[in-house]
Amino acid sequence: MKKKSAKKRREKLQKKVDELHGYRCYHDDDVEVRKGKYGLGVYAVRQFLPGELVFEVTGQLLSHENYHGSNYVMELNENWYLEPTIPAAFLNHSCSPNSELVQLTKYSLGLVAICNIEPESEIVFDYQWEPHEGTPQCRCGALNCRGWVVAAHAVHKMGKPNKKEKKK
Ligand SMILES: [Zn+2]
């Protein structure tokens, strides 16, 4: 009983956070975070040309030594991870990406358009994950979808994706 009411209270308070502070509905003149087919994603507000900086990705800096990485962590350099803040934290993976990450400063990455990106389209990049326990199946819907959210060079290590697997 207690657990249930605590959960309810959390939901209510989260709603308040969303209404008052809008962390999860980020938007500026370039991009916005909103709900897509598979949950929240980052969408272009305006057109981006190939080679154009979409935004700077900043976040919490974590050393490789003391941290083994989360699903969303990005590699800053050989010694440091970057756990991205909003909006980058909501970027989804695609096997057919329209952007990629580059090192921009000592403390940040840059998300750069690799093709024309029209307003309203979702901005996605290739996570290039190494296979790990619980590697998710990919639902990016691209014609060349690899079936798993893993790097192209590692697809051969994965089995056949189960087409019928339901979203959890
Ligand atoms: Zn895919």
Side-chain angles (χ1 to χ4, degrees):
M1 257 327 246
K2 229 181 184 174
K3 244 185 173 170
K4 208 174 167 189
S5 65
K7 199 182 160 203
K8 265 221 163 118
R9 182 165 163 77
R10 257 195 98 74
E11 279 168 10
K12 203 172 134 193
L13 293 175
Q14 179 67 58
K15 215 172 159 193
K16 200 166 172 184
V17 170
D18 287 344
E19 275 169 21
L20 295 177
H21 303 285
Y23 285 107
R24 301 194 289 186
C25 56
Y26 176 93
H27 65 92
D28 60 26
D29 293 339
D30 303 312
V31 298
E32 68 174 349
V33 172
R34 60 177 158 87
K35 261 193 190 136
K37 242 200 294 185
Y38 302 114
L40 292 169
V42 182
Y43 290 80
V45 168
R46 61 170 179 92
Q47 184 189 32
F48 292 94
L49 298 173
E52 197 176 347
L53 178 70
V54 180
F55 54 77
E56 183 184 18
V57 180
T58 55
Q60 187 187 18
L61 301 165
L62 299 152
S63 77
H64 284 194
E65 228 175 282
N66 303 318
Y67 191 68
H68 299 294
S70 75
N71 264 356
Y72 297 98
V73 85
M74 295 167 175
E75 190 111 11
L76 185 62
N77 58 39
E78 58 198 8
N79 297 318
W80 292 88
Y81 289 121
L82 181 68
E83 189 75 67
T85 52
I86 297 165
F90 292 113
L91 285 166
N92 287 316
H93 162 88
S94 173
C95 299
S96 179
N98 54 15
S99 68
E100 68 182 15
L101 291 169
V102 296
Q103 174 122 30
L104 200 57
T105 72
K106 203 172 165 189
Y107 311 107
S108 67
L109 297 167
L111 186 72
V112 178
I114 55 171
C115 60
N116 176 54
I117 302 175
E118 287 293 314
E120 296 296 304
S121 24
E122 184 171 7
I123 299 168
V124 285
F125 77 103
D126 187 339
Y127 285 4
Q128 297 178 32
W129 284 348
E130 290 303 319
H132 59 279
E133 212 185 298
T135 296
Q137 290 196 29
C138 188
R139 291 181 209 87
C140 75
L143 186 60
N144 62 344
C145 180
R146 302 194 286 266
W148 297 97
V149 183
V150 291
H153 70 82
V155 179
H156 68 277
K157 295 180 191 162
M158 307 298 296
K160 230 183 174 178
N162 175 6
K163 288 245 155 65
K164 279 179 195 150
E165 193 198 67
K166 286 258 159 68
K167 211 183 154 196
K168 273 173 211 157

